[in-house]
Amino acid sequence: MSDQSDNPHKQSTGPDIETASRLASDREGPAIVSRRWLLLKAGIALNGLVGLALAVPIVRYLLAPVRKDDSYKSWISLGAADSFPVGETRLVSFKNPWTQPWDGETDNVAAYVRKEGASQFTVFAINCAHLGCPVRWFPQSQLFMCPCHGGVYYADGSRASGPPERGLFTYDYKIAGGQLQIDAGQMPSLSNTAKLVNIPTPGQNGSAKDGDCPCRG
Amino acid sequence: MPGMKQTAKQVYDWFERRLQVEGPIKDAVLHKVPRNTASWWYVFGSAAFTLLMLQIVTGILLALVYVPSAAEAWNSLNVLNHQVPLGWFLRAVHGWGSNFMVAVVFIHMAQVFLFGAYKFPRELTWTVGVFLLLMTLGMAFTGQVLRFDQDAYWGLGIGVFILSRVPWMGGGLVHLLLGGPTIAGATLSRFFALHVFVIPGTLLVLVAMHVWMVLKLGINEWPMPGRLVRKSTYTAEYNKLAHEDGIPFVPGAFWKDLIFSGAVLAAVAVCAAVFGPSGPGGQPDPSITQTVPKPDFPFLWIYAVLSYLPPSMETPFILIAPILMIAGLLAVPFVAGEGEKSWHRRPVAVLALTSVAVAWAVFTHLATYTPWSPHMSAWSGDPLPVQYLRDATPLVRQGAVIFQAKQCRNCHSIGGLGGERGPALDAVATRMTLDQIRYKVVTGGGNMPAYGKNLSPPEIEALVSFLETLHPANEQPAIDAAQQATQSNAAPAPASGAGGP
Ligand code: FES
């Protein structure tokens, strides 16, 4: 490109302009022309450098939502532990702890609370472990059914049938001051919950025990 | 009015002196194209372009009212539907325009593939086209999210679950997609940015490249069996064809483009007026579990595929199949960049296209009635046909109540009503013996939960005796060999042809 006869504007300029510029570069000599090319390269380098400097804050800004799961979580109260009847599964909803005023209704989150004993709970995420659709609890048959692709879970959250690879996600819980609290704040999904995938054979009680797959939500 | 004509000419010259576009435009408009490319088969690309323009115009008009905020989007769509005069119509035109655009882009691609138009020297035109297809689908998906209702919410949820399966960085990708830990305000804002700035901007640049190459390389000549594409000779052959048997692009070929585009626009308008806008459905409140989410038309086939995949294959499939599909499309012109263009001599190509089209149609059709989804209210909403319970014993009636109350009906239809996840049970007794039915109810298997732990033994007995009555009047319930032996010992066999006891 530094060859003076290789005029980059050749196509767009008329023949007389071209001749004129050739004359001009003849007059100016190769030293001046190569200095222009050098300056051009300096210009490119400067822009590249500034671009790089700007890219750092831009990338940091873009990646702002990518954080450790724990930094999104906090303990949320679902109500008095006594208010849940033993042996039943109840749908509860709570406000997402990580929220903005313009979230609207999306900051309502639902969960299923199953009380097994005086202070023994399992709190299930409503999101199907297959692709996250909201499962529905049927107390009559003691099953959770998913409306999307027909996943079914038993009352203890273990997989009964359909496409899910595992049982329902569960939240970590504790009882503080008589209140049932769960560690929530993140949409449960396969990347932030149990990594273990264990497909129980039909009829066998599933592998999803409370401790196995804490919903690090 | 010679004076006015002269003024007009002067104004024109004033602009032309400065803009200097007359030459290039004339070149583009009058360049010769092979005569037989002026065909009704060659109108889909320009129709896709027309639809893109329609989407841009209607999109801007909708943006005058739409509020891209998670708290307000749903309300503003309802205002558009019900309060702004003809707001519903603009929403409908934009929505139907999107359906038509996806369809026309796919048809265009199929036509280009069938006519071998991706071969030398048009490989890059095809490559850019593949990205145009991806951008079009991206617009359809982000657009579905902007219609911020329950379907949008749970559709995004499915996106989250798919991304979360990416090994190692799934969690980060989910946060990036959502703009936070959950689907919320930040999510809608970034999908708005994608739908309105990022993807359309990219789309326009790619369209410019695509059209530029069509102008520079010429319209693909009509494929003739035996006329082979060779890199060494193609350009000369094409130029000869275009000059010896060519016609100017305008009006020779262009009038068909115009008429087809007009017809497509009219079809969009008619669909919009007749069928109206889609949604918004229920408000995007994730604590409402009474919902049956469903994706928009272009993604129905994915919905179907995800229901049929065996669980163990799912993650590899979800993560690898899209990459393979896109890589396959991109590879087409580089694998088969020369040779025959005619479909008469390309059986593999024709077969591949047909299989893809049939598979797509089957999956899309299945997804329109989702046989794999339980009918969530069948158990309480669909009554049992009366004739099934006439003359029934108390035990059988008890079983019928259990059948309804335990949600069996959500997956099994009787009398044509109920879910289709499991087999219809109208004649189950002719297929399975009493013991087999009992075993299946207790242990489940396949796509059936094991009811053994959810039903008491008396309940199971009642349920099974009800199921045992489900057979046509002229067909007896199935029995096993032992029962058959006992029965034929007890009573002399009836006359032959009775088909068993
Ligand atoms: S999302 Fe529940 S089965 Fe697919």
Side-chain angles (χ1 to χ4, degrees):
Chain A
M1 280 296 261
S2 59
D3 187 343
Q4 61 200 69
S5 69
D6 188 7
N7 185 343
H9 298 293
K10 204 185 245 169
Q11 278 159 2
S12 58
T13 49
D16 39 342
I17 303 179
E18 202 178 315
T19 329
S21 77
R22 195 179 303 131
L23 286 178
S25 51
D26 281 351
R27 203 167 49 241
E28 284 166 357
I32 296 177
V33 174
S34 76
R35 194 188 63 168
R36 279 180 199 152
W37 282 108
L38 184 72
L39 287 173
L40 182 82
K41 282 175 192 158
I44 292 173
L46 177 67
N47 278 280
L49 224 67
V50 175
L52 216 66
L54 279 176
V56 173
I58 289 175
V59 168
R60 180 72 197 86
Y61 170 84
L62 278 177
L63 292 181
V66 180
R67 298 167 46 162
K68 282 234 170 64
D69 291 341
D70 286 338
S71 71
Y72 283 125
K73 291 191 316 180
S74 50
W75 289 96
I76 298 280
S77 174
L78 297 180
D82 298 342
S83 62
F84 296 95
V86 178
E88 284 193 25
T89 301
R90 288 276 165 96
L91 181 67
V92 294
S93 65
F94 57 92
K95 286 269 175 227
N96 194 10
W98 184 269
T99 178
Q100 299 283 3
W102 53 88
D103 284 346
E105 295 148 314
T106 58
D107 64 4
N108 293 333
V109 187
Y112 287 107
V113 176
R114 176 171 187 240
K115 190 171 188 179
E116 285 132 356
S119 57
Q120 268 254 290
F121 288 88
T122 313
V123 184
F124 299 111
I126 61 163
N127 303 86
C128 180
H130 177 225
L131 290 173
C133 286
V135 296
R136 236 180 275 178
W137 168 244
F138 289 96
Q140 301 84 357
S141 55
Q142 298 277 302
L143 293 173
F144 295 96
M145 290 190 187
C146 176
C148 283
H149 316 99
V152 182
Y153 306 85
Y154 295 118
D156 63 356
S158 57
R159 173 187 181 271
S161 64
E165 292 178 295
R166 43 155 293 155
L168 287 174
F169 303 121
T170 55
Y171 292 97
D172 284 337
Y173 75 93
K174 67 179 182 193
I175 293 170
Q179 297 279 313
L180 173 63
Q181 298 192 342
I182 58 170
D183 199 10
Q186 176 157 359
M187 186 167 190
S189 70
L190 293 165
S191 61
N192 55 30
T193 50
K195 313 291 185 283
L196 174 78
V197 169
N198 189 351
I199 302 173
T201 49
Q204 168 198 335
N205 211 334
S207 61
K209 284 276 158 44
D210 318 1
D212 275 351
C213 47
C215 187
R216 305 271 219 54
Chain B
M1 285 246 171
M4 207 149 118
K5 220 173 179 180
Q6 208 162 12
T7 325
K9 174 90 175 88
Q10 273 173 358
V11 172
Y12 177 85
D13 284 345
W14 190 90
F15 277 102
E16 175 53 24
R17 177 87 189 84
R18 284 151 186 85
L19 285 170
Q20 308 198 9
V21 290
E22 194 185 275
I25 288 183
K26 263 193 183 153
D27 281 353
V29 159
L30 298 178
H31 80 281
K32 288 216 172 155
V33 298
R35 181 177 302 276
N36 44 20
T37 62
S39 148
W40 287 108
W41 282 103
Y42 283 64
V43 296
F44 300 110
S46 59
F49 182 79
T50 311
L51 285 166
L52 174 63
M53 293 301 123
L54 174 76
Q55 292 306 90
I56 291 177
V57 172
T58 49
I60 292 173
L61 291 172
L62 289 176
L64 299 181
V65 177
Y66 180 77
V67 184
S69 147
E72 307 295 344
W74 191 79
N75 290 328
S76 70
L77 289 170
N78 280 308
V79 166
L80 266 167
N81 269 5
H82 302 298
Q83 289 173 29
V84 178
L86 289 177
W88 67 271
F89 183 67
L90 270 159
R91 282 201 64 230
V93 171
H94 197 66
W96 281 100
S98 154
N99 287 343
F100 271 78
M101 185 163 157
V102 172
V104 167
V105 166
F106 268 114
I107 295 172
H108 178 50
M109 186 175 225
Q111 181 266 326
V112 163
F113 179 73
L114 205 57
F115 281 57
Y118 56 82
K119 289 177 193 271
F120 177 86
R122 301 185 180 82
E123 301 97 329
L124 189 59
T125 321
W126 169 271
T127 310
V128 172
V130 170
F131 286 103
L132 283 172
L133 170 76
L134 295 177
M135 293 291 141
T136 307
L137 290 176
M139 286 304 279
F141 183 75
T142 51
Q144 181 192 325
V145 171
L146 294 198
R147 192 185 64 224
F148 206 54
D149 56 8
Q150 280 173 348
D151 282 0
Y153 185 95
W154 296 109
L156 264 175
I158 290 180
V160 166
F161 270 72
I162 289 179
L163 267 191
S164 75
R165 294 178 185 223
V166 176
W168 182 68
M169 52 188 214
L173 289 177
V174 168
H175 290 164
L176 214 53
L177 177 82
L178 299 183
T182 58
I183 300 170
T187 315
L188 183 63
S189 298
R190 59 183 48 214
F191 272 83
F192 184 76
L194 282 176
H195 188 77
V196 173
F197 300 113
V198 181
I199 305 182
T202 320
L203 201 53
L204 285 176
V205 171
L206 292 178
V207 164
M209 276 173 77
H210 199 70
V211 173
W212 174 258
M213 282 188 283
V214 172
L215 284 174
K216 286 286 139 185
L217 303 173
I219 297 179
N220 184 46
E221 77 283 0
W222 190 271
M224 292 290 190
R227 191 200 280 157
L228 299 187
V229 177
R230 276 188 212 90
K231 287 188 183 161
S232 48
T233 55
Y234 178 80
T235 313
E237 285 168 8
Y238 180 84
N239 286 340
K240 193 159 162 256
L241 193 70
H243 277 103
E244 283 175 7
D245 190 25
I247 49 172
F249 176 63
V250 177
F254 194 58
W255 71 270
K256 285 181 176 155
D257 288 299
L258 272 184
I259 288 187
F260 185 72
S261 288
V264 166
L265 285 186
V268 170
V270 168
C271 284
V274 174
F275 301 111
S278 108
Q283 62 259 60
D285 180 340
S287 67
I288 301 174
T289 55
Q290 309 294 316
T291 171
V292 182
K294 212 169 177 184
D296 277 2
F297 182 73
F299 307 105
L300 280 177
W301 66 276
I302 302 179
Y303 184 49
V305 169
L306 291 178
S307 319
Y308 282 121
L309 278 175
S312 53
M313 273 184 52
E314 201 159 81
T315 301
F317 182 88
I318 287 180
L319 298 181
I320 297 169
I323 298 175
L324 287 184
M325 278 189 226
I326 296 169
L329 282 177
L330 291 176
V332 164
F334 301 101
V335 172
E338 289 185 302
E340 279 283 356
K341 277 185 176 176
S342 169
W343 53 89
H344 293 294
R345 303 265 173 97
R346 288 166 57 224
V348 177
V350 174
L351 200 67
L353 184 66
T354 325
S355 335
V356 169
V358 168
W360 176 86
V362 167
F363 281 126
T364 301
H365 174 68
L366 281 171
T368 53
Y369 66 98
T370 61
W372 52 82
S373 296
H375 290 198
M376 294 304 222
S377 51
W379 67 286
S380 55
D382 297 342
L384 275 177
V386 181
Q387 70 267 25
Y388 284 75
L389 293 175
R390 220 168 258 144
D391 310 323
T393 65
L395 184 66
V396 166
R397 287 179 188 217
Q398 179 70 29
V401 171
I402 290 167
F403 180 77
Q404 293 286 115
K406 299 294 180 182
Q407 282 87 30
C408 306
R409 197 75 182 275
N410 287 14
C411 292
H412 294 285
S413 73
I414 287 190
L417 289 176
E420 293 160 285
R421 173 90 212 179
L425 296 183
D426 296 84
V428 64
T430 63
R431 296 195 300 268
M432 297 167 83
T433 67
L434 190 70
D435 288 339
Q436 285 171 327
I437 296 179
R438 187 183 294 113
Y439 183 77
K440 185 78 184 175
V441 167
V442 172
T443 62
N447 274 324
M448 169 141 169
Y451 272 81
K453 57 180 106 168
N454 299 347
L455 297 176
S456 67
E459 285 176 323
I460 292 176
E461 256 346 277
L463 178 61
V464 171
S465 11
F466 166 65
L467 294 174
E468 181 68 1
T469 65
L470 296 178
H471 56 84
N474 56 355
E475 255 184 275
Q476 291 307 300
I479 54 172
D480 57 30
Q483 285 169 303
Q484 203 161 16
T486 338
Q487 283 187 13
S488 49
N489 281 347
S496 66

